[in-house]
Amino acid sequence: MNKNLLENLKELRQIQPDSNYTTRSRFLILAEPTATENLPGFKITQIYKPAFAIGLISIFVLMALGGIYQIIKPGQNDLVVRANEINSSIQVKLDEIKYLIENNNHLNAENILNIQALLEKTTNELKEASILSQENKDLGKSLEKIKSAQEILLQIDAMLQ
Amino acid sequence: MLDGEKQLIERAIRGEASAFGLLYDRYQTQIYRFIYLKVSHREEAEDLTHQVFLKSWQTISGYKFQGLPFSSWLYRIARNQVIDYYRTKKNNLNIEEISESKIDDSSIEVIEILDDNSNVKKIKEAIKQLNPGHQDVIILRFIEELSLKETASALKKSEMAVKLLQHRAIKNLKKILGNNE
């Protein structure tokens, strides 16, 4: 075989995909559920997904607030109202963020990685809130964790605007 | 199969996104290159590569270990993706006619990278003029440097068939290069 031809063919290995495309594609693919996923009845340790934890964040919010509702004592109506407000606000923000991510073709690799990190942070805050409320621990602290998650989502929203 | 790959695949089959992410990192470039050399259009190659990995992630629970690299399975998906792409292409070009299509403007940035070596550029254009089967074997055997066994698995052919195909592919490639001079 012609040695030059072989060498020249090997040079075509220079062809590489664009790095922004690669980061974005990876992010979107890993956010998709596989056929093996089973969201109801999931284990907390399995759902630590770096991307698109949005559906799971919603579930955590419900778990955290569900715990709060269970231990509401008489005279704590303000807490119930506040919890409802936060829940609604987070749900709306999650839907907005999901729409913005899916329809934004200008996200660069750095933005995507930053959003990924913030989503992980949100998931962690809500995990902790969920544990605190379900163990009937400091209710105020649980609510603080949820508020913190809400603020992180606002940061993500600002990045996507 | 590469070291540690079996464990990685098993974790991905169980639904661990991070494990599949590592497989993505390992194989994405070569799958993209395979597709790009066949469609010669950067954005189309990106879309198709994305579809390959999305499909593989969504169906990985059906993956069967056969003692071959994970890439063989990915290449099969990629080949099918390219075939489907040409079938549904709006201008309904016959697959055999695609080899005569011109290079799209969006691929010019890649050609510029290769431009320092005009021979390489000529070879890239010549590959486009091969039929799909010959393109496959040239890319897998001589660019991605897969073994005969790996190539046979990726193309779902016997090793003997791949040997024959590779001989004809190189012969045709030289003929095209000779005609283009």
Side-chain angles (χ1 to χ4, degrees), chain A residues 2 5-6 8-18 21-22 25-26 29-30 32 34-36, chain B residues 13 17 21 24-25 28-29 32-33 46 49-50 53-54 57 61 113 117 119 123 127 142-145:
Chain A
N2 185 321
L5 176 58
L6 196 56
N8 285 328
L9 280 168
K10 283 184 192 172
E11 289 213 30
L12 288 170
R13 288 173 73 90
Q14 289 175 48
I15 295 170
Q16 306 270 328
D18 174 71
Y21 148 75
T22 296
S25 171
R26 192 183 193 280
I29 287 167
L30 297 186
E32 288 289 327
T34 68
T36 55
Chain B
I13 289 172
Y24 179 95
D25 295 338
Q28 189 252 10
T29 298
Y32 169 84
R33 194 159 43 226
E46 287 176 353
T49 304
H50 181 84
F53 283 95
L54 184 62
W57 174 227
S61 57
I113 291 166
N117 187 336
N119 282 336
I123 288 169
I127 289 173
F142 302 111
I143 298 173
E144 300 303 332
E145 296 185 304

Side-chain angles (χ1 to χ4, degrees), chain B residues 98-111:
Chain B
I98 294 304
S99 60
E100 293 167 16
S101 62
K102 303 260 164 96
I103 296 169
D104 189 282
D105 280 346
S106 64
S107 66
I108 290 214
E109 61 186 84
V110 175
I111 293 168

Side-chain angles (χ1 to χ4, degrees), chain A residues 69-88:
Chain A
Y69 292 141
Q70 280 171 17
I71 59 174
I72 292 291
K73 292 170 185 162
Q76 287 183 314
N77 289 335
D78 287 349
L79 204 57
V80 173
V81 169
R82 184 71 190 115
N84 270 325
E85 282 172 2
I86 296 174
N87 183 26
S88 300

